[in-house]
Amino acid sequence: MTLNTNTQILPVSYFPPPDNVYLYNDSMNTERLHATLFLGYSFVLKDNFKFETSVNYLYDTQELSLARINDIAGNDERLDINELALKCYLKNDAHKIWYRIGTILVSENNRYTSRFSNHSWAIYPLAEVGYKFNTFRNLSLTLTRENELIDMEKMSGLNIVNAYNEISIGSGVMSPYNKSNKLMLSYQDFNIDKQNYFIVLANISSIRNTVIQNIVQDNSVNITKYESAGTNEHAYFMTTIDKRFRRFPLNLKGTLSANYMKTISAINDKMNTTKMYSFFSEVNVTTKFKSSFNFDLTMKYSHNRSVMSITDIRSDADKIDVVSKLLFRANNFRGQLQFGYYRVAGNGYSSNLYDLGCNIDYKINKLMFALTVKNILNLRETEWWQTMTTPYYTTTESYSRMPGYIMFGLTYSY
């Protein structure tokens, strides 16, 4: 059951908004209509040089509605966006070195019901260059400036009670856009003759004047307001390799990735910077002998760190997974033996776990016997630990993983 009331029930007091009116949020709905129209033309300037141009029109309208459970008029809000853009690009893609350079000139008009109305001109450049070594190997670098639409709920000017101790007051966001600069690097090498597959990806982005969440805590009441004074920086790198050897029956797969993110938020009207770092690596080695036995080994390592400036809190977590498998097959008999080692550590806690298991099948005509053993060293529940840190709190919690088991099966096919 849901109870909606404008009478205080629990011992909670709210900060009164300027109009001393709150809406009690029982349901929220957003409807959207999006339409685009464009006309473009492309022609050859000289040899393989092309010039592309187009005129684009964009119309976007969104309407946010709250249930009128307390009969207060004017609960609906609307966002209207009209954009007229002129795109011009110079392009060459017929040589080893290819590129696309251009810009977009945009007239941006947006209006949010009873809150703001903006008109401005913006330029969004694009520079993309690449090198084709051959059909299967290429390198590209892209630099762009983009705009991203903010969720309408974060621009609402309504004062809303979301729960008995959670309220949100009118947003201070005065533009529907987050504008960002992005740099992307991509390298791919798919060598079929040598059975070698190699990929490198890197992304760097910076968003200015992005939305920040300011949470003010007054006793047991959390008051949320969205503002437009934040920044967001993100860097990501990933490389993966898949190598299959011909002279030696061995497959090698490896992945390496790193991630960095910096965000701005606010706690009790004080600015807070959150920095998060993560690192992940994985190596898999598999043999492909034409014999009764083969081997598979997978090793994973990850490290995560988060730092909060306002509280000077740092959390670290390390995780190691090592799984080895012995695969065997003889006539109607097949199976695998598995050994695993798992370690989790961080902020003063650690957990080590060893596991053994197997899968064995034996088939006689249409009858097959199967034995499955999972985590034989941990037939009971085993506690794990993890830490989560946010700008507002840090928690360390334990939980139970699924226990191991032994299962015997019989299958008849007809």
Side-chain angles (χ1 to χ4, degrees):
M1 297 180 64
T2 301
L3 172 65
N4 301 301
T5 177
N6 57 2
T7 302
Q8 180 175 309
I9 299 176
L10 297 174
V12 173
S13 61
Y14 303 130
F15 287 168
D19 55 6
N20 204 29
V21 174
Y22 276 109
L23 298 178
Y24 294 86
N25 179 19
D26 182 60
S27 64
M28 181 181 293
N29 180 50
T30 302
E31 296 182 358
R32 184 177 185 182
L33 175 62
H34 180 90
T36 58
L37 177 67
F38 69 93
L39 176 65
Y41 184 70
S42 174
F43 57 92
V44 177
L45 291 175
K46 182 180 179 181
D47 297 331
N48 295 305
F49 293 94
K50 295 181 180 179
F51 181 77
E52 297 179 350
T53 183
S54 65
V55 177
N56 296 60
Y57 173 72
L58 180 146
Y59 174 77
D60 193 305
T61 180
Q62 300 182 60
E63 186 169 348
L64 183 143
S65 303
L66 284 124
R68 302 174 183 269
I69 56 179
N70 50 355
D71 295 326
I72 297 178
N75 293 3
D76 296 346
E77 294 183 308
R78 178 168 174 159
L79 172 66
D80 293 305
I81 296 177
N82 290 272
E83 294 182 2
L84 184 63
L86 175 63
K87 300 182 180 181
C88 299
Y89 295 109
L90 184 63
K91 182 178 179 181
N92 177 22
D93 57 3
H95 298 87
K96 284 186 174 294
I97 298 179
W98 57 269
Y99 60 83
R100 186 163 66 111
I101 300 174
T103 187
I104 307 175
L105 178 63
V106 186
S107 172
E108 298 176 342
N109 295 273
N110 53 80
R111 180 180 180 273
Y112 199 102
T113 306
S114 72
R115 291 206 55 239
F116 60 79
S117 180
N118 302 321
H119 174 260
S120 61
W121 292 87
I123 297 178
Y124 299 98
L126 167 68
E128 187 176 15
V129 61
Y131 185 80
K132 294 181 181 179
F133 296 89
N134 51 48
T135 305
F136 306 105
R137 184 160 62 117
N138 61 79
L139 172 69
S140 67
L141 182 67
T142 305
L143 176 63
T144 59
R145 179 170 174 80
E146 301 176 354
N147 66 338
E148 301 173 357
L149 196 62
I150 300 171
D151 293 338
M152 189 174 181
E153 289 81 358
K154 297 180 180 179
M155 293 185 287
S156 174
L158 301 176
N159 302 302
I160 303 171
V161 178
N162 299 306
Y164 82 94
N165 64 340
E166 295 181 7
I167 65 176
S168 57
I169 59 178
S171 171
V173 178
M174 300 301 291
S175 171
Y177 300 117
N178 283 329
K179 299 192 177 184
S180 62
N181 299 313
K182 295 184 179 181
L183 177 65
M184 294 172 285
L185 172 69
S186 173
Y187 175 76
Q188 298 177 350
D189 185 1
F190 297 153
N191 194 318
I192 298 178
D193 293 335
K194 296 183 179 180
Q195 292 289 286
N196 181 56
Y197 308 91
F198 182 61
I199 299 175
V200 175
L201 298 174
N203 295 324
I204 300 175
S205 65
S206 176
I207 305 176
R208 300 300 176 185
N209 203 37
T210 187
V211 174
I212 65 171
Q213 186 181 36
N214 182 14
I215 293 184
V216 178
Q217 295 176 327
D218 177 42
N219 295 324
S220 59
V221 179
N222 293 330
I223 304 171
T224 301
K225 184 175 183 179
Y226 293 99
E227 302 285 354
S228 296
T231 60
N232 189 333
E233 297 177 359
H234 186 204
Y236 174 76
F237 171 82
M238 187 275 289
T239 180
T240 180
I241 184 172
D242 187 341
K243 176 64 177 176
R244 302 176 185 180
F245 299 90
R246 287 185 172 181
R247 297 183 178 180
F248 191 75
L250 184 71
N251 289 357
L252 175 64
K253 296 180 181 180
T255 299
L256 180 68
S257 67
N259 194 27
Y260 165 77
M261 182 176 292
K262 175 183 176 182
T263 59
I264 303 296
S265 61
I267 305 175
N268 294 328
D269 296 323
K270 294 182 180 180
M271 300 303 293
N272 172 67
T273 300
T274 302
K275 295 181 180 180
M276 291 178 286
Y277 311 83
S278 65
F279 173 83
F280 174 81
S281 61
E282 178 180 359
V283 176
N284 174 261
V285 180
T286 305
T287 61
K288 297 293 183 180
F289 292 106
K290 296 180 179 179
S291 64
S292 299
F293 294 92
N294 273 292
F295 181 75
D296 182 280
L297 175 65
T298 301
M299 297 177 290
K300 299 179 182 179
Y301 169 74
S302 64
H303 175 78
N304 294 278
R305 170 180 293 181
S306 60
V307 182
M308 312 294 168
S309 65
I310 195 170
T311 56
D312 196 27
I313 293 177
R314 187 183 76 179
S315 65
D316 292 272
D318 293 272
K319 186 176 181 181
I320 299 174
D321 293 351
V322 179
V323 178
S324 60
K325 298 177 182 179
L326 178 63
L327 312 174
F328 52 91
R329 184 176 188 134
N331 297 324
N332 295 327
F333 183 76
R334 65 179 183 179
Q336 67 175 31
L337 300 177
Q338 179 176 309
F339 168 76
Y341 168 70
Y342 310 93
R343 174 177 172 81
V344 179
N347 284 30
Y349 68 91
S350 63
S351 175
N352 293 277
L353 180 67
Y354 298 88
D355 267 326
L356 287 176
C358 70
N359 290 303
I360 300 175
D361 298 337
Y362 183 73
K363 189 174 183 180
I364 303 177
N365 297 324
K366 296 182 178 182
L367 194 64
M368 185 176 71
F369 301 89
L371 174 65
T372 301
V373 178
K374 183 71 173 180
N375 300 337
I376 189 64
L377 301 182
N378 297 276
L379 293 179
R380 297 182 178 181
E381 295 179 339
T382 302
E383 282 192 335
W384 291 72
W385 293 82
Q386 71 176 6
T387 292
M388 181 174 63
T389 300
T390 74
Y392 314 107
Y393 58 86
T394 297
T395 63
T396 300
E397 61 183 12
S398 65
Y399 60 97
S400 298
R401 67 194 299 271
M402 291 294 293
Y405 61 87
I406 301 175
M407 181 173 64
F408 178 77
L410 180 64
T411 303
Y412 179 78
S413 301
Y414 60 91

